[in-house]
Amino acid sequence: MKAVTLLLAAAAFSAHANHDEHESHSHGAHEHGHGHLNLVVDGDQLMIELQAPAADLVGFEHAAKSDEEKAQYAKAVARLQQPDALFRFDPAAGCKLTQQELQAAKEDHDHDHDKAAGDHDEHHDEAGHADMGAMYTYTCTMPAKLTGLEATLFSVYPSLEKLSVQGILPTGQTAGELTPSANKLSW
């Protein structure tokens, strides 16, 4: 039941965060070098949702066409399937990955705001924006020792310059920004 609560909270939180960002930025949430990290801590469970431009995670945003691009995409998916290389927690918390779900690249049509209705770019493979990400659920044996995380993904994805973080914690909500030089979030 907790997993359902976490999923609903993350989905609502993510939708609210994207809506707020959409209102405050004329071009929506898609910005190369800028990813989003949503997290929820509930009891012994930690859920992390990572979203970033496919250009930062894969190296391109269009559908993989050549064998080289398909290999590059497969490598990006493999990296997302190894969250231990992306995030670090206090080992004393005893957090173990119990579920993960990859979110394949999906196009972001927010970049068309300034175009007339009939003037949309038909070549999304060339000019469209795509986001990609993953959702990770951990169960922690000592959740009281879970007091933060370190985002080690900046070394895996060097073109990623910042992560906007939003979280729902037992103590309330948190928000912040992580960068390669300031990659630790404490709560």
Side-chain angles (χ1 to χ4, degrees):
M1 185 57 89
K2 281 187 179 179
V4 173
T5 302
L6 290 172
L7 285 171
L8 291 172
F13 197 70
S14 179
H16 179 70
N18 287 337
H19 180 72
D20 285 350
E21 182 155 330
H22 178 72
E23 287 179 352
S24 64
H25 298 292
S26 62
H27 292 288
H30 189 91
E31 177 186 342
H32 291 190
H34 184 184
H36 298 273
L37 186 70
N38 297 315
L39 61 96
V40 177
V41 177
D42 183 20
D44 65 350
Q45 301 234 315
L46 165 66
M47 179 187 285
I48 298 174
E49 179 187 33
L50 171 67
Q51 287 288 323
D56 295 312
L57 302 183
V58 180
F60 55 87
E61 294 185 316
H62 57 270
K65 295 174 185 158
S66 69
D67 288 343
E68 183 180 333
E69 287 178 343
K70 289 176 185 175
Q72 197 170 339
Y73 184 82
K75 184 178 178 183
V77 168
R79 282 188 200 138
L80 284 173
Q81 291 174 327
Q82 299 173 359
D84 291 345
L86 308 178
F87 307 103
R88 217 175 276 147
F89 316 105
D90 185 338
C95 296
K96 300 244 185 248
L97 183 68
T98 53
Q99 185 178 353
Q100 69 179 9
E101 177 184 329
L102 298 184
Q103 299 160 352
K106 57 186 177 199
E107 287 188 15
D108 173 12
H109 296 281
D110 289 343
H111 66 282
D112 287 333
H113 281 286
D114 297 332
K115 294 186 177 187
D119 192 26
H120 287 271
D121 188 352
E122 293 296 320
H123 302 286
H124 290 291
D125 284 349
E126 303 301 326
H129 296 289
D131 286 338
M132 186 174 186
M135 192 174 297
Y136 308 103
T137 303
Y138 294 84
T139 300
C140 305
T141 56
M142 299 290 293
K145 303 268 185 188
L146 182 64
T147 58
L149 69 81
E150 180 180 358
T152 54
L153 60 102
F154 293 108
S155 62
V156 176
Y157 303 112
S159 68
L160 201 57
E161 299 169 357
K162 64 182 171 180
L163 280 177
S164 293
V165 180
Q166 297 184 82
I168 300 173
L169 308 168
T171 56
Q173 294 185 4
T174 188
E177 189 171 277
L178 297 175
T179 64
S181 60
N183 65 343
K184 294 180 182 176
L185 177 70
S186 297
W187 59 78

